[in-house]
Amino acid sequence: MEKVKLFATWSSPFVKRIVWALKLKNIEYEIIYEDLANKSPELLKYNPIHKKVPVLVHNEIPICESLVILEYIDETWKDACPLLPKDPLDKANERFWAKFGDELVLPSFFGYIMKQGKDQEEAKEATLTHLKRIEQLLSEKEFLSGESFGFLDLAFGWLAENARPLEVVTGLKLLDENSFPNLCTWKDKFLEIPAIKESWPDQETLILKYQEIKESKGK
Amino acid sequence: MAVKLLGIWQSPFVLRVKLALSLKGVEYEYIEDDILNKSSMLLQYNPVYKKVPVLVHNGKPMAESLVILEYIDEIWKNHPLLPEDPFEKARSRFWAKFVDDKFVPMIIRMLRITSDQKDNAAKETREILKTLEGSLDPNKPFPEDKSLSFMDIAIVWVGYYTQMLEKMLDVKLLDDENTPLLNTWFRVVLNLQVIKECLPPFDKLLTHYTNFHERHTTAS
């Protein structure tokens, strides 16, 4: 009997991609929500180096770093819903773009939302530049991973999931249909995938939760 | 030639790719780029980051050293670099990423460090190296040429470049009291034939980065 535990928070984009992967592959797991201001001894035991979520614990063995976890899940539960393609060049491309997403797109996007003044302007410019590249990737493909969704879609899923809730709460236009038609189409398709659609928190709940955060910060 | 590698001689990321190709006996054409005057080839092949290494295989380019390593391992199946077991693979990837996420920014900082900040930076570097030592299994024998793995290739350059920083800045980073196992591991692995053949010459590296450091710490 496989025992799978996931250390998580509701808001982490890195956690969410793991939840989706586990659901897509029909893997039973126990989720443990962490309070990052008061980390559990278990989390610190399983991820002593970074002390972060997500951590996947499979039969008592921990795996850390979300993209590493995704590949581990794909290699361990091979039969259901393969995430990475078989072709080495396609795989290399997905890994490259996933890294680009995490290192450049995600930080600039959330920077744009959270920063002020000149820093916000710079983050906005950077985000637009990065998003253009992703828009380009979708010019000949249904999904980022090709004909059907996969690893790279999960890696960018945070964008699909957060675009509308954050736009509603902040008033910032994040994914404009005129500038990013491919990304907007992709976003809607991604959110319709059953495993994505059914996972918590859903879009309406995200809006409420982000609204609460905004109000508690008095912004 | 079917395989081309765009690089610069001083890059540890290029070194990783050279090691992987060397271990698998892959013939390739090496093209030296100029960091101050990037070639149009580089800009065409890696428009996103404009950096080396870029591996071009049958006309198709790819970038990011660890991505390239995995590609090489999947195409050329002799001398496998990554282990078969998914957990061991995950472990290798985790530590390779740790080096890139923690050690690389540190080395970038050290190359521009002023004398008043040097000791603090050295202390932080020693802490990162201590954590890195946790990646080594004290019961496992040291690698040999024929057993060098993905993780070994991802990490080995840290020892060489740290030695270079020690000389350049006159600081202690590889402290035998702090990281005895790691220091021994570096000494053994940096002495392996295939590694020695790929390493850039130490004195050339030291001179290059000493000049770099001077340019970046002298008020203009």
Side-chain angles (χ1 to χ4, degrees):
Chain A
M1 174 66 186
E2 307 275 13
K3 192 159 175 250
V4 180
K5 277 201 273 202
L6 178 65
F7 288 82
T9 57
W10 67 266
S11 59
S12 162
F14 308 107
V15 164
K16 214 51 188 299
R17 52 176 67 148
I18 310 301
V19 168
W20 294 327
L22 292 168
K23 278 181 111 73
L24 285 165
K25 287 185 181 268
N26 270 318
I27 299 165
E28 269 188 46
Y29 66 101
E30 178 197 348
I31 192 162
I32 296 145
Y33 286 102
E34 286 283 325
D35 173 2
L36 295 182
N38 189 18
K39 292 173 186 177
S40 71
E42 268 205 310
L43 176 64
L44 299 178
K45 174 179 93 169
Y46 287 130
N47 192 359
I49 293 172
H50 301 300
K51 306 176 174 57
K52 284 179 176 176
V53 294
V55 179
L56 189 83
V57 183
H58 183 207
N59 296 333
E60 294 304 310
I61 301 175
I63 302 111
C64 308
E65 295 298 303
S66 63
L67 296 178
V68 175
I69 298 171
L70 276 184
E71 296 221 33
Y72 175 82
I73 289 172
D74 207 30
E75 285 153 13
T76 306
W77 289 274
K78 282 198 261 268
D79 301 326
C81 195
L83 300 175
L84 273 166
K86 288 202 162 33
D87 177 67
L89 182 62
D90 292 338
K91 243 193 257 198
N93 281 329
E94 291 205 25
R95 285 173 177 145
F96 173 88
W97 287 111
K99 192 168 188 275
F100 170 77
D102 281 6
E103 282 178 5
L104 291 179
V105 192
L106 193 152
S108 67
F109 180 91
F110 284 100
Y112 173 38
I113 289 163
M114 297 197 295
K115 290 179 180 176
Q116 311 266 343
K118 184 161 166 278
D119 288 340
Q120 188 182 42
E121 262 313 301
E122 282 174 8
K124 181 182 178 187
E125 285 312 308
T127 305
L128 290 175
T129 305
H130 300 324
L131 287 180
K132 284 192 184 117
R133 298 206 184 273
I134 310 302
E135 176 73 12
Q136 175 77 11
L137 288 183
L138 288 165
S139 61
E140 278 156 35
K141 288 191 283 187
E142 284 268 308
F143 288 96
L144 289 167
S145 292
E147 296 299 309
S148 59
F149 63 85
F151 177 85
L152 193 55
D153 300 284
L154 294 187
F156 273 94
W158 60 268
L159 180 63
E161 191 186 47
N162 286 295
R164 190 175 79 90
L166 286 170
E167 191 178 306
V168 166
V169 171
T170 65
L172 297 172
K173 186 75 183 175
L174 297 162
L175 271 191
D176 170 2
E177 292 86 0
N178 292 323
S179 311
F180 302 109
N182 299 340
L183 265 170
C184 288
T185 307
W186 168 80
K187 169 179 77 89
D188 293 335
K189 268 193 247 170
F190 182 82
L191 292 174
E192 280 303 307
I193 297 165
I196 313 296
K197 199 168 176 177
E198 287 156 13
S199 63
W200 182 91
D202 62 16
Q203 295 277 286
E204 297 312 313
T205 309
L206 270 179
I207 290 172
L208 287 171
K209 278 177 160 317
Y210 287 144
Q211 195 65 46
E212 274 170 30
I213 294 175
K214 185 181 172 190
E215 276 154 24
S216 73
K217 287 192 174 164
K219 271 211 227 160
Chain B
M1 215 176 247
V3 182
K4 293 196 230 275
L5 173 62
L6 256 74
I8 51 175
W9 66 269
Q10 67 269 40
S11 164
F13 308 107
V14 172
L15 172 66
R16 282 171 167 170
V17 180
K18 280 185 178 169
L19 285 171
L21 293 169
S22 181
L23 285 168
K24 288 180 183 271
V26 177
E27 268 190 58
Y28 64 99
E29 179 192 350
Y30 176 74
I31 301 161
E32 179 76 22
D33 213 282
D34 180 350
I35 200 175
L36 295 174
N37 188 19
K38 292 178 183 183
S39 69
S40 55
M41 194 191 292
L42 176 61
L43 301 178
Q44 180 202 344
Y45 282 143
N46 189 2
V48 175
Y49 292 108
K50 306 177 179 50
K51 285 182 178 175
V52 292
V54 174
L55 187 82
V56 187
H57 184 212
N58 295 329
K60 303 273 196 289
M62 68 206 75
E64 294 299 296
S65 64
L66 298 178
V67 173
I68 296 172
L69 249 49
E70 297 227 27
Y71 176 83
I72 289 171
D73 207 29
E74 285 153 19
I75 298 283
W76 291 278
K77 305 265 193 228
N78 61 318
H79 193 128
L81 298 174
L82 273 167
E84 291 261 339
D85 174 65
F87 174 69
E88 290 303 322
K89 249 193 247 205
R91 200 171 165 277
S92 302
R93 289 171 177 146
F94 172 88
W95 283 109
K97 191 171 190 290
F98 174 84
V99 163
D100 284 6
D101 290 348
K102 299 290 182 194
F103 191 76
V104 170
M106 200 61 223
I107 199 174
I108 290 172
R109 205 173 123 200
M110 291 290 251
L111 291 175
R112 293 166 174 78
I113 206 87
T114 50
S115 44
D116 58 322
Q117 296 169 338
K118 200 173 66 165
D119 289 338
N120 265 342
K123 181 162 173 275
E124 281 182 46
T125 306
R126 286 194 295 273
E127 282 164 10
I128 295 169
L129 291 169
K130 182 78 194 161
T131 306
L132 184 59
E133 191 178 62
S135 70
L136 300 174
D137 181 351
N139 300 316
K140 213 176 135 202
F142 291 126
E144 300 173 0
D145 285 81
K146 60 183 190 294
S147 64
L148 281 166
S149 68
F150 174 91
M151 200 163 113
D152 298 327
I153 297 174
I155 290 172
V156 68
W157 68 274
V158 171
Y160 198 63
Y161 284 71
T162 307
Q163 286 169 3
M164 188 273 300
L165 283 175
E166 285 186 314
K167 276 221 150 51
M168 187 177 101
L169 298 170
D170 190 26
V171 283
K172 190 85 186 140
L173 299 171
L174 293 165
D175 183 343
D176 280 333
E177 272 188 37
N178 186 44
T179 50
L181 178 61
L182 187 68
N183 297 353
T184 309
W185 191 89
F186 280 141
R187 278 195 283 273
V188 166
V189 180
L190 285 168
N191 206 35
L192 293 174
Q193 192 58 33
V194 69
I195 305 275
K196 282 201 292 199
E197 280 166 9
C198 292
L199 288 172
F202 191 85
D203 289 339
K204 189 178 177 190
L205 202 67
L206 179 60
T207 307
H208 173 82
Y209 282 116
T210 303
N211 293 339
F212 181 97
H213 181 249
E214 261 161 44
R215 281 200 307 275
H216 286 83
T217 50
T218 312
S220 47

